[in-house]
Amino acid sequence: MNAIIIFLIGIAALVVGYVTYGKWLADQWGVDPSRPTPSHTMEDGLDYCPAKAPVLMGHHFSSIAGAGPINGPIQAAVFGWVPVLLWVLIGGIFFGAVHDFGALFASIRHKGQSIGEVVADTMGGKAKRMFLVFAYLTLLLVVAAFASIVANTFMATFRADGSVDYAASASNASTAIISLLFIVLAILFGFFVYRKNASLLLSTILGIVGIVVIIAIGLNWHPLYLSNSTWMIVLGAYILVASVTPVWILLQPRDYLSSFLLYFMMAVAAVGIVGASLMGQSHLDIPAFTGFKDTLYADNGFTQGTSLGYMFPALFVTIACGAISGFHSLVASGTTAKQINTEKDARPIAYGAMLIESALAVISLIAVGYVWSSFKTGQVITPTVVFATGISKMCAAIPFLKGAESVIFTMLVLAVSVFCLTSLDTATRLARYIFQEFFLEPGQVWQEATGWRKIVTNPVVATLITVVCGILLGMHGYANIWPLFGAANQLLAALGLLTVATWLGKIGKNNKMFLFPMAFMLVVTITSLVLTLKGKIVELSAQATGWAIAMSVLDVLLIILAVVLAIDGVRTLLAEHKEKSEAAA
C-alpha cells in the first residue's frame, strides 16, 4: 500500500465528517452563539477565564493529544492497516468527536462544571458520586502513566558503576532542558498577552521564535542528568504548582504554544509523506490484515513485545485518543468549558480537535508502516521512536531534507514529550476539580465549606493528595499502568456518551447519535476489564504481590462502578422514551 493513498483517504474523510456531521450535530442540539458562556457569567480569574478561540483550541488540543494518538495506532498495527484505519476514521467521526462535542456542550449548559454534574442532573446525586469516584480513579491512572512516560523521556542512562553515560543520555537531557525552558517561555507569553494586552499575533510570532531559540539552546546545553525516580519527584512538584495557578499564567499560554509544535509535527509528517511519494519511496510493507488474533510471537514474525490478544476488544481499547477517549470528556468539561468564549467555538474546539487527533493517528499508522520491517523484528519498537523514525526517514527521502533526518527525529521526540507534559498537568488539575466536587454541595465553593471538608477541598491540599497518589502509582512504571488505564479510559468514554445522551433526552433534543457508540463501548470495555482481571487472577495464583492485589481490587471497583452507572443510565433513557411515547399517544 502507498502512504499517500492512506493519507488522502484519511484527511478527506475527516474533513467531510467535520463539515457535514459536525454541523448537523450543532443544529440538532441547538448551539446558540448569543447565549453567555460560564467564562463570562462566572469569571473568577483563576479557573473561569474567557480565552481567545485559537488559544483555547491550543490548550484543548494539546491537553487531549498526549501520546495516545501515536502509541495506540502503532501498537494496534499488529492487526494490519485496514482495521486501524477503519476504527480511527469511523471512531473519530461518529464516536470520539460526538463524545467530545457533546461533553463540552453539556458542561457549558451546566455552568462549566464537570460531566459529573450532568450525571447528577439526569441520574441523581448518588450516580454523580459514583461517577466522580470512577473519573478520579481514571485520572490517577492518567497522572501515573504520563508521569512515568515523561520521566522515561527525561531520565539519564547510568553505567554499571553508577556513573552517567553522557553519550547515551544526551538526547533525553536535551528534551528535559527544552521542556523546562518551554515553561518559562509560556509564563512570559501569558504575562504579556493577558496582563499587558500585547497583540496575540505579534506574541505568537515571538513565541514561535522563542521555541526555535530554546530548542537551539537545549540541543547545545543540557546540564541535567537525573535518574527516573528523581524526575518523578520533580514532575510531582511541578504539577502540584502548575495545577493550582491561574489558567492564564501557564495552562493557556503553554498549551497554546505547544500546539504549534504539534502543528509543526503534522506539517513535517505531511511533507514527508507527500515528498516520499513523489520520490517513489512511500510504499508501506505493513499487511492489510493479519488476523483476528495478534500472533506476535508466531505468524507475524515478531521477536519482541507483548501480544494484544484478540482484535475484539483489543483494537478498540488500544486505539483510544485517535478514535475515542474518556479523558477528553474530562478536559472538555473540566477546563475548556470554563474558558470558552462563545458556544459557536464548541464545534471547532471539541469536534474539530478530535478529528485533528484522528489525523495524527492516521499519520502514526503510516509511520509504523514505513518502518514495518524494523518494527516487527524489534529493532524499533517504542511507539515514540517508531513514529519519529518513520517520519524522519520519509523526510530523508526528499533530497533537500536528506541531511536533516537526525534533527527532525529529535524535534519529533521533543514534540511528543511536550504533549505528554501538557496532558499530565491538565489531568492533575481535572482530578483536583473532581476531588473537590465530590466533597462539596452543588454550586458550593471550597471557601464556603466548613470543618474537615474545607481542609480537604482546599486547592493545594486536594492537588497534593492527587499528586502523591499519582506519582506513587507511576513509580511502578508505565507498562504496569497502561493496560488498566486503557480499559478504564474507554469505559469512561462509554459513560460520558451515556450521560450526554440522557441529558439531551431530558431537554427534548435528539440523542440517537449517542446510543450505538455508547452500547458498543460499554460492551468493549467491560469485556476488556474482565479479561484484564482474569490475567491478574492468574498472576495472583502464581505470586500474590501487593501490586497485583492492588490492581485487581482497582479493576473490580471500576467494573462495579461502571455496571451500576450503566444500569442507572439505561433505566433513565428507557424512562425518558416511555414518557415521550405516552405524550405522543
Side-chain angles (χ1 to χ4, degrees):
M1 174 54 68
N2 195 294
I4 193 67
I5 295 176
I6 294 178
F7 183 69
L8 293 177
I9 289 174
I11 298 301
L14 295 171
V15 170
V16 171
Y18 176 80
V19 173
T20 59
Y21 199 58
K23 183 179 185 303
W24 179 76
L25 292 174
D27 293 339
Q28 290 293 301
W29 301 341
V31 173
D32 183 4
S34 65
R35 185 178 179 125
T37 59
S39 67
H40 293 283
T41 60
M42 302 179 67
E43 184 173 2
D44 62 4
L46 177 64
D47 296 319
Y48 290 86
C49 182
K52 296 178 175 65
V55 175
L56 187 56
M57 178 67 167
H59 153 67
H60 184 80
F61 188 28
S62 296
S63 296
I64 67 172
I70 293 173
N71 286 14
I74 289 173
Q75 291 173 323
V78 293
F79 296 113
W81 68 265
V82 171
V84 172
L85 183 64
L86 287 176
W87 173 232
V88 165
L89 297 182
I90 295 173
I93 295 169
F94 298 105
F95 285 61
V98 175
H99 166 270
D100 294 12
F101 189 10
L104 176 58
F105 181 60
S107 179
I108 291 171
R109 292 294 177 91
H110 285 81
K111 300 180 180 179
Q113 293 177 301
S114 78
I115 201 74
E117 194 58 38
V118 186
V119 173
D121 184 30
T122 55
M123 291 181 274
K126 180 181 178 182
K128 171 190 172 180
R129 289 185 177 278
M130 287 191 293
F131 180 86
L132 292 178
V133 171
F134 185 95
Y136 185 75
L137 292 175
T138 302
L139 284 170
L140 285 183
L141 292 172
V142 173
V143 172
F146 281 92
S148 179
I149 291 172
V150 175
N152 284 336
T153 307
F154 289 176
M155 71 177 186
T157 300
F158 294 88
R159 300 187 181 92
D161 62 1
S163 62
V164 176
D165 186 337
Y166 289 100
S169 305
S171 178
N172 282 12
S174 290
T175 302
I177 197 66
I178 292 170
S179 298
L180 295 177
L181 291 174
F182 196 93
I183 294 170
V184 176
L185 177 65
I187 293 173
L188 292 173
F189 181 91
F191 174 76
F192 283 106
V193 170
Y194 287 101
R195 287 297 176 267
K196 296 298 182 181
N197 296 315
S199 164
L200 178 61
L201 176 60
L202 177 60
S203 299
T204 300
I205 294 172
L206 293 176
I208 294 173
V209 172
I211 292 173
V212 174
V213 171
I214 64 174
I215 289 174
I217 292 173
L219 291 175
N220 293 281
W221 179 73
H222 33 79
L224 299 179
Y225 294 87
L226 307 177
S227 66
N228 181 281
S229 57
T230 302
W231 274 120
M232 288 292 287
I233 295 171
V234 171
L235 288 170
Y238 164 71
I239 59 178
L240 174 62
V241 174
S243 300
V244 296
T245 56
V247 292
W248 64 266
I249 292 179
L250 180 59
L251 186 74
Q252 283 183 359
R254 187 219 45 223
D255 290 359
Y256 173 64
L257 289 176
S258 67
S259 68
F260 285 96
L261 277 176
L262 195 145
Y263 302 145
F264 166 80
M265 180 172 72
M266 295 183 70
V268 167
V271 169
I273 292 168
V274 174
S277 298
L278 293 175
M279 295 296 105
Q281 299 182 44
S282 64
H283 178 73
L284 307 181
D285 294 326
I286 181 174
F289 179 61
T290 61
F292 290 101
K293 185 177 182 181
D294 169 21
T295 52
L296 195 66
Y297 299 104
D299 300 343
N300 294 345
F302 280 62
T303 58
Q304 293 187 31
T306 302
S307 175
L308 295 180
Y310 288 96
M311 190 168 72
F312 183 91
L315 175 71
F316 309 100
V317 172
T318 304
I319 302 177
C321 294
I324 180 172
S325 168
F327 176 60
H328 295 188
S329 69
L330 301 182
V331 174
S333 69
T335 55
T336 306
K338 293 177 174 63
Q339 302 172 61
I340 196 161
N341 188 47
T342 171
E343 284 191 2
K344 73 177 181 180
D345 293 339
R347 179 164 71 108
I349 288 174
Y351 197 92
M354 178 63 237
L355 296 190
I356 296 175
E357 196 167 9
S358 295
L360 180 56
V362 172
I363 291 171
S364 300
L365 173 62
I366 293 171
V368 68
Y370 198 72
V371 293
W372 184 252
S373 59
S374 298
F375 178 69
K376 72 178 184 179
T377 56
Q379 298 175 44
V380 183
I381 198 167
T382 305
T384 301
V385 177
V386 171
F387 178 82
T389 302
I391 298 304
S392 61
K393 285 187 176 298
M394 295 186 87
C395 290
I398 306 171
F400 67 88
L401 290 177
K402 191 171 184 179
E405 182 177 347
S406 61
V407 174
I408 293 173
F409 176 90
T410 300
M411 293 191 70
L412 292 175
V413 172
L414 169 66
V416 176
S417 173
V418 168
F419 300 133
C420 289
L421 195 57
T422 60
S423 296
L424 175 61
D425 63 58
T426 297
T428 308
R429 185 179 288 262
L430 293 173
R432 187 251 294 178
Y433 291 157
I434 288 174
F435 187 90
Q436 292 174 300
E437 194 172 331
F438 182 84
F439 292 104
L440 296 173
E441 297 298 324
Q444 186 183 38
V445 295
W446 73 271
Q447 293 94 333
E448 298 171 348
T450 58
W452 64 269
R453 292 178 186 273
K454 186 171 185 177
I455 296 174
V456 298
T457 57
N458 180 289
V460 175
V461 176
T463 305
L464 180 62
I465 293 171
T466 300
V467 169
V468 171
C469 293
I471 294 298
L472 287 177
L473 276 174
M475 290 287 191
H476 287 273
Y478 153 82
N480 291 318
I481 298 292
W482 196 261
L484 183 57
F485 159 70
N489 178 56
Q490 296 300 73
L491 189 48
L492 182 61
L495 296 176
L497 290 166
L498 176 60
T499 300
V500 179
T502 54
W503 171 68
L504 286 171
K506 179 180 178 181
I507 64 174
K509 298 293 184 180
N510 184 4
N511 66 356
K512 292 182 176 61
M513 68 288 293
F514 286 91
L515 301 184
F516 178 76
M518 175 264 296
F520 181 78
M521 294 309 297
L522 279 174
V523 173
V524 164
T525 50
I526 290 178
T527 302
S528 180
L529 281 170
V530 169
L531 292 175
T532 301
L533 180 60
K534 180 182 176 182
K536 291 297 180 185
I537 292 173
V538 173
E539 183 180 340
L540 284 171
S541 64
Q543 185 178 8
T545 64
W547 174 256
I549 293 172
M551 289 294 99
S552 298
V553 170
L554 183 55
D555 196 332
V556 171
L557 180 58
L558 291 171
I559 292 174
I560 292 173
L561 288 169
V563 170
V564 174
L565 284 166
I567 291 173
D568 279 352
V570 171
R571 185 186 296 120
T572 304
L573 283 173
L574 292 175
E576 289 172 353
H577 178 72
K578 183 179 179 181
E579 289 178 8
K580 289 180 181 178
S581 299
E582 291 175 349

